[in-house]
């Protein structure tokens, strides 16, 4: 049995209760050494075999999984954040299905959630944006043309951008071309929820300069949108759900 487990985006205690249980029960752990907090491995069994996938190919990872399965062992494949986002789990799952090995996926706290929490931000404010676009700039991995960054930016929703800290000059240009006001709030959160976390609040037009000055080139979440405003946010209305005159299945609203 193989469990793909989301480790969370940094702080070791952000893993789910289920994820931690699976780590404690594992005979083999293959973890993404570049981004998973190694503290999580302290909870593994003493005789658990631990592999760092940062130094392995897909073929080597699969070989370890298949060997463990042949020996009746439990494997945990520990991925950063939530495995469903840029996790490269599909190819592993396909190979396991083909080999007749069963697997489950345990979700994790994604870095976009971790960064929002660090910023104390609500990403979906009524009257400002009710949509979050999770995306990346095209880099060594291409992005389908129909979802080019510029075309997504044209919606002016809240945006959470992965894998793009080294492409902020290009991102800034795309955002401005897509019609974002230069002073639209933005934030760069480096290593969100890790002890070395750094938060930079800036604007769309100062994204690149901010990252340059701070020397941030990787492991950063870029959040963009009016919801990040610190004072008066144009258009922001309080939620209807908690308005006194609003009835729900749980509470009868008053009209006064
Ligand atoms: N599955 C992961 C994303 C993996 S892709 C998740 O759900 O978060 C790796 C990218 O995620 C990085 O380039 C960076 O943009 C972002 N990232 C991962 N951990 C981060 C963290 N602690 N703080 C900020 N960004 C992070």
């Amino acid at each position: 049995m193989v469990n793909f487990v989301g480790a969370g985006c940094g702080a070791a205690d952000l893993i789910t209760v289920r994820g931690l249980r699976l780590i404690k029960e594992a005979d083999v752990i293959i973890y993404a050494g570049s981004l998973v907090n190694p503290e999580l491995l302290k909870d593994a069994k003493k005789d658990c075999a631990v592999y760092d996938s940062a130094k392995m190919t897909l073929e080597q990872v699969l070989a370890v999984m298949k060997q463990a399965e042949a020996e009746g062992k439990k494997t945990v494949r520990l991925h950063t954040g939530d495995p469903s986002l840029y996790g490269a789990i599909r190819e592993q799952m396909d190979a396991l299905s083909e080999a007749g090995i069963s697997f489950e996926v345990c979700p994790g706290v994604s870095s976009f959630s971790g960064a929002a929490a660090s910023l104390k931000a609500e990403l979906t404010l009524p009257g400002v944006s009710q949509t979050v676009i999770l995306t990346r700039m095209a880099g060594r991995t291409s992005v389908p043309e129909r979802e080019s960054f510029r075309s997504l930016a044209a919606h002016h929703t809240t945006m959470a951008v992965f894998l793009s800290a080294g492409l902020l000059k290009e991102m800034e240009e795309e955002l401005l071309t897509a019609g974002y006001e230069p002073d639209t709030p933005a934030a760069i959160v480096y290593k969100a929820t890790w002890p070395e976390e750094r938060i930079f609040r800036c604007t769309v037009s100062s994204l690149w300069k901010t990252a340059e000055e701070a020397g941030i080139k990787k492991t950063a979440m870029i959040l963009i949108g009016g919801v990040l405003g610190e004072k008066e946010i144009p258009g922001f209305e309080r939620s209807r759900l908690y308005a006194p005159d609003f009835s729900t299945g749980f509470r009868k609203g008053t009209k006064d």
Side-chain angles (χ1 to χ4, degrees):
M1 176 71 177
V2 175
N3 272 284
F4 293 90
V5 175
C9 62
D13 59 355
L14 276 183
I15 193 167
T16 62
V17 174
R18 183 188 299 176
L20 188 58
R21 175 176 60 76
L22 292 167
I23 286 180
K24 287 179 178 167
E25 292 171 1
D27 303 301
V28 176
I29 295 178
I30 308 167
Y31 76 109
S34 52
L35 278 174
V36 166
N37 192 332
E39 247 189 70
L40 284 167
L41 302 172
K42 285 189 192 148
D43 285 295
K45 293 193 284 197
K46 280 210 167 52
D47 58 349
C48 177
V50 177
Y51 298 84
D52 178 357
S53 64
K55 301 174 188 125
M56 298 163 80
T57 61
L58 171 63
E59 287 69 17
Q60 289 170 328
V61 167
L62 291 170
V64 170
M65 288 175 173
K66 287 178 183 172
Q67 179 66 35
E69 189 67 17
E71 293 168 9
K73 292 179 171 168
K74 290 182 186 167
T75 300
V76 160
R77 176 70 172 101
L78 201 52
H79 280 273
T80 178
D82 183 80
S84 74
L85 295 167
Y86 308 105
I89 59 169
R90 179 62 194 255
E91 61 242 47
Q92 300 174 68
M93 297 190 296
D94 283 350
L96 293 180
S97 296
E98 208 169 299
I101 298 174
S102 54
F103 57 86
E104 299 282 346
V105 182
C106 173
V109 175
S110 176
S111 52
F112 84 89
S113 304
S118 296
L119 289 163
K120 302 188 175 79
E122 178 175 346
L123 300 182
T124 51
L125 288 182
V128 184
S129 179
Q130 289 291 285
T131 305
V132 183
I133 291 180
L134 308 178
T135 189
R136 63 171 298 167
M137 293 281 286
R140 282 205 289 174
T141 302
S142 65
V143 171
E145 180 53 35
R146 63 181 177 277
E147 51 186 79
S148 69
F149 192 84
R150 188 180 303 188
S151 66
L152 297 181
H155 294 282
H156 290 216
T157 65
T158 304
M159 295 184 83
V161 195
F162 293 74
L163 295 159
S164 303
L167 295 164
L168 288 179
K169 193 166 199 287
E170 295 82 348
M171 189 192 298
E172 206 176 294
E173 281 166 15
E174 295 289 282
L175 289 165
L176 294 172
T177 309
Y180 270 92
E181 293 298 328
D183 61 355
T184 303
I188 301 168
V189 185
Y190 171 76
K191 295 205 87 174
T193 80
W194 287 81
E196 59 269 40
E197 168 185 283
R198 290 169 76 195
I199 294 177
F200 304 91
R201 290 181 182 271
C202 58
T203 62
V204 158
S205 61
S206 64
L207 273 167
W208 182 56
K209 188 167 156 272
T210 305
E212 275 286 298
E213 282 174 6
I216 306 292
K217 291 197 170 56
K218 57 177 192 168
T219 328
M221 173 55 54
I222 317 300
L223 290 168
I224 299 146
V227 297
L228 300 175
E230 285 190 278
K231 296 196 187 93
E232 286 281 289
I233 302 182
F236 173 43
E237 308 146 8
R238 61 177 274 182
S239 158
R240 290 293 297 138
L241 184 62
Y242 296 103
D245 64 344
F246 192 76
S247 292
T248 73
F250 300 96
R251 180 175 62 78
K252 192 167 164 13
T254 56
K255 278 281 167 214
D256 14 278

